Amino acid sequence: MEDFSIYAVCSTDQVPCKLRCDLESLQFTAALPDPRPDALVVFSRGDWCSFSADTVIDVQVTGGEGGPRTLGTLTPKNRCLYWERGVGENWEDWEPQSLPVQGRLLGKGPVPGSKDPQTALCKTEKTPKLQPPHPPPAPAVKESHGKRKRGMRVKEEGGDKENACPNSPASSSKRTTPRRRVKPTARASQTRLFEPAQGPGKSEGPSASTAPTSTGGTPSGRWGQALCSIGGQTALLIGGQGSRMQFCKDPMWKLHTETCSWVAAETVAAAGPTPECRIGHTATFDPETERIYVFGGSKNKKWFNDVHILATKTWRWSTVEAMGKVPPLAYHSTSLFRGELFVFGGVFPMPHPEPDGCSDSLYIFDPQHEIWYQPIVLGEGPAARSGHSACLIQRKLYVFGGWDTPVCFNDMHILDLGLMEFSKVDVSGAPPSPRSWHACAALSDSSFVIHGGYDGNIALKDSFIFNTVNNSWTALVHPILSALPRAGHSMVTLTTTEEEVGSEPTEEDWRPEPRPHTLLIFGGGDNEGGFYSDTMTLPIDEVLDQ
């Protein structure tokens, strides 16, 4: 025991602090510094042989009103852990203001030769399976200062558990102070974005016990799905939710874009473990590796932070046991840059201090090393949000819109991926109204289009083009885009690598750059109970000529 020690690192400016060992209470303790650190590194040094091979040491913070908070576990095979304060977490939520120094790091483990039954050997820690969070408590009501609030209808039916909208309140309540801990409520009613109804051109609402299914050679009506273009000739549809908020029983379809014909997943014969049906996830195609990465999403009260990979050459699925830490997220954005996935924003579930709170963090997934990490980002970043759009033009990521209850946004921020610096954009022209769950797609190397969305009251059907050269908005009026209001739909750019007529390659290994030629739009809902299953294509030249 004399050769075994535990240390904590609270700051890069300080040397590691050795925890005091109390043999009688079997504890290693150290007082937390004031101000409280944003991150901690705890590691052991010495011989674990004095313990049993199954011994683990739980690292906790104690002294708060809610009891100990476990940060992680040390084992003989994992002798170091890193913890950082989560999004929206405050030390004030963990311990009262009147006792600012009562937090301690606590480690427990059996002393060699001890016969105390309370020091029985612990099981070796394994990665826990994601469990559905508890029902969210009533959210805090923010002062909107004239900004739009949600106009959501409360579910009237009872009995069936349906997926709630991200950030939707389970009931109305007054705002609680940031230092007050909120307890979950047991209310069964939950708000929804779309209510079941029937209307022309929409999918019919089945009974509450029946999930939406295909009526033939096309997917069933849905919103919240992911649509991914594969090399311009094929697209893959994954997940979604339809009438009566039921998850689709036909969650995966393959589209041949030249003939605009759908093929059900059963005929694609994709092998391996397919992703569970969900909404609010993303699907991103990497043309270099010809793989699709599916990340995040939610299903009822179950939230995901898993990564599924589809190899389009073999049509085989696989899952990633990634290192690093990323929270379960839904309604985030994912962009591919230099072979890595850049994930921004989104909604995360309980047990975070703010129920169904929004994130303003950037996470990067490195597929080559299968690891998540957070980069150092400079500048003025966007406020926390979900349901926003992110469009990659050149090496700049344009983040627009989204919301964090009850505020809906229409601001624009740029993340320069070369400098890793955020900046707010001063735009010209009449910008789109605040919205979330809109669709966005690149039109060229200097422009992109947004369409539709939800402003907290109604689904929208307007469209706008943003010019990245002069940072200007222009309203787009097109009969196809303005025909129906849509939210939660998908819009992707189809590209071609065909050479221009008469062009000649200048080098032996020259390959033409992909050129966008068509917009592909699918699905969504109208906030009146209708869920669309239509597939539309629109030439980009026709859009730019408007």
Side-chain angles (χ1 to χ4, degrees):
M1 194 69 179
E2 295 180 356
D3 297 332
F4 182 83
S5 302
I6 296 179
Y7 295 83
V9 181
C10 302
S11 170
T12 56
D13 300 329
Q14 299 177 357
V15 297
C17 171
K18 183 178 180 180
L19 277 65
R20 297 185 300 273
C21 178
D22 187 345
L23 295 180
E24 293 184 1
S25 61
L26 308 180
Q27 296 179 353
F28 301 87
T29 61
L32 288 173
D34 197 6
R36 301 292 182 258
D38 293 328
L40 291 171
V41 176
V42 182
F43 63 94
S44 65
R45 186 173 182 272
D47 190 3
W48 277 72
C49 294
S50 56
F51 297 121
S52 168
D54 294 329
T55 300
V56 299
I57 296 176
D58 295 322
V59 179
Q60 300 175 329
V61 170
T62 65
E65 293 179 339
R69 298 285 188 98
T70 299
L71 306 184
T73 301
L74 300 178
T75 70
K77 293 184 178 180
N78 299 281
R79 303 188 182 191
C80 179
L81 68 87
Y82 170 74
W83 170 90
E84 63 180 348
R85 193 168 57 192
V87 178
E89 276 187 327
N90 295 309
W91 283 107
E92 289 81 357
D93 298 321
W94 287 26
E95 55 186 2
Q97 281 290 312
S98 58
L99 299 172
V101 194
Q102 284 197 358
R104 297 183 303 166
L105 290 173
L106 170 66
K108 290 186 177 181
V111 173
S114 173
K115 298 181 180 180
D116 189 340
Q118 294 184 356
T119 62
L121 301 181
C122 303
K123 294 181 179 179
T124 303
E125 183 191 33
K126 296 182 179 179
T127 302
K129 295 182 179 179
L130 183 63
Q131 297 294 331
H134 297 291
V141 178
K142 303 178 182 178
E143 295 182 4
S144 63
H145 301 289
K147 295 185 180 180
R148 298 178 183 265
K149 293 187 177 182
R150 292 185 170 187
M152 316 252 286
R153 298 181 176 89
V154 179
K155 173 183 171 184
E156 297 178 355
E157 303 93 337
D160 59 331
K161 294 182 179 179
E162 299 175 312
N163 194 68
C165 303
N167 276 345
S168 62
S171 62
S172 61
S173 69
K174 296 183 179 180
R175 179 175 176 86
T176 56
T177 60
R179 295 187 178 91
R180 185 175 179 180
R181 300 183 62 196
V182 184
K183 295 183 179 180
T185 176
R187 291 179 64 92
S189 62
Q190 297 189 6
T191 58
R192 304 183 301 178
L193 176 60
F194 305 117
E195 291 199 2
Q198 296 181 11
K202 308 164 188 175
S203 62
E204 297 182 354
S207 63
S209 60
T210 305
T213 56
S214 172
T215 57
T218 59
S220 60
R222 67 192 67 193
W223 83 290
Q225 70 281 342
L227 183 65
C228 180
S229 173
I230 308 172
Q233 305 300 317
T234 310
L236 188 68
L237 174 67
I238 302 174
Q241 192 179 52
S243 297
R244 296 189 181 273
M245 307 305 288
Q246 298 296 307
F247 285 85
C248 300
K249 286 187 176 180
D250 56 331
M252 197 172 301
W253 288 78
K254 184 179 178 181
L255 174 68
H256 297 285
T257 58
E258 290 184 345
T259 59
C260 211
S261 58
W262 289 97
V263 178
E266 289 77 7
T267 62
V268 176
T274 59
E276 185 175 348
C277 186
R278 59 191 70 185
I279 59 174
H281 53 293
T282 53
T284 310
F285 176 68
D286 184 353
E288 295 295 327
T289 61
E290 298 187 26
R291 302 199 298 180
I292 295 175
Y293 300 95
V294 178
F295 169 71
S298 66
K299 181 179 183 180
N300 296 320
K301 295 177 182 178
K302 186 175 183 180
W303 297 68
F304 302 95
N305 64 348
D306 50 0
V307 178
H308 294 261
I309 298 177
L310 175 62
T312 59
K313 285 185 177 180
T314 60
W315 286 100
R316 184 173 186 84
W317 286 97
S318 62
T319 56
V320 178
E321 297 293 337
M323 298 180 291
K325 183 177 67 173
V326 63
L329 289 172
Y331 311 100
H332 52 278
S333 62
T334 302
S335 306
L336 180 76
F337 180 70
R338 294 179 179 175
E340 294 184 318
L341 299 181
F342 287 69
V343 177
F344 175 76
V347 170
F348 51 78
M350 292 276 286
H352 294 269
E354 292 292 333
D356 289 0
C358 283
S359 169
D360 60 357
S361 297
L362 178 69
Y363 296 88
I364 298 179
F365 176 67
D366 180 355
Q368 181 178 358
H369 300 96
E370 296 186 346
I371 187 171
W372 285 98
Y373 67 95
Q374 282 189 271
I376 298 175
V377 183
L378 306 175
E380 178 187 0
R385 64 192 63 200
S386 65
H388 56 284
S389 61
C391 188
L392 181 63
I393 302 290
Q394 304 293 348
R395 66 175 190 179
K396 293 182 178 180
L397 190 64
Y398 292 81
V399 178
F400 169 78
W403 75 357
D404 186 8
T405 304
V407 180
C408 206
F409 301 100
N410 68 340
D411 54 351
M412 177 81 75
H413 287 76
I414 295 178
L415 174 60
D416 189 317
L417 297 179
L419 302 175
M420 292 307 296
E421 182 176 10
F422 264 119
S423 60
K424 188 174 182 178
V425 183
D426 293 327
V427 301
S428 61
S433 60
R435 66 191 64 204
S436 63
W437 298 311
H438 50 280
C440 177
L443 298 177
S444 66
D445 58 1
S446 62
S447 63
F448 62 87
V449 60
I450 69 162
H451 168 59
Y454 180 69
D455 67 358
N457 295 300
I458 59 173
L460 306 171
K461 59 180 180 179
D462 52 358
S463 304
F464 296 82
I465 294 178
F466 186 78
N467 187 304
T468 62
V469 176
N470 53 24
N471 292 335
S472 63
W473 284 107
T474 304
L476 170 64
V477 180
H478 193 281
I480 292 181
L481 295 175
S482 59
L484 295 169
R486 293 176 188 266
H489 51 299
S490 299
M491 181 167 64
V492 297
T493 303
L494 302 181
T495 60
T496 180
T497 54
E498 294 180 357
E499 302 175 19
E500 297 284 355
V501 177
S503 64
E504 294 292 337
T506 57
E507 297 181 10
E508 184 177 349
D509 59 348
W510 177 86
R511 290 188 304 173
E513 289 293 328
R515 294 183 296 104
H517 63 83
T518 303
L519 286 180
L520 173 66
I521 305 169
F522 171 80
D526 64 358
N527 197 37
E528 299 295 335
F531 294 85
Y532 305 121
S533 61
D534 52 349
T535 305
M536 301 180 294
T537 57
L538 190 62
I540 287 180
D541 292 341
E542 183 178 323
V543 175
L544 294 175
D545 289 340
Q546 294 293 317

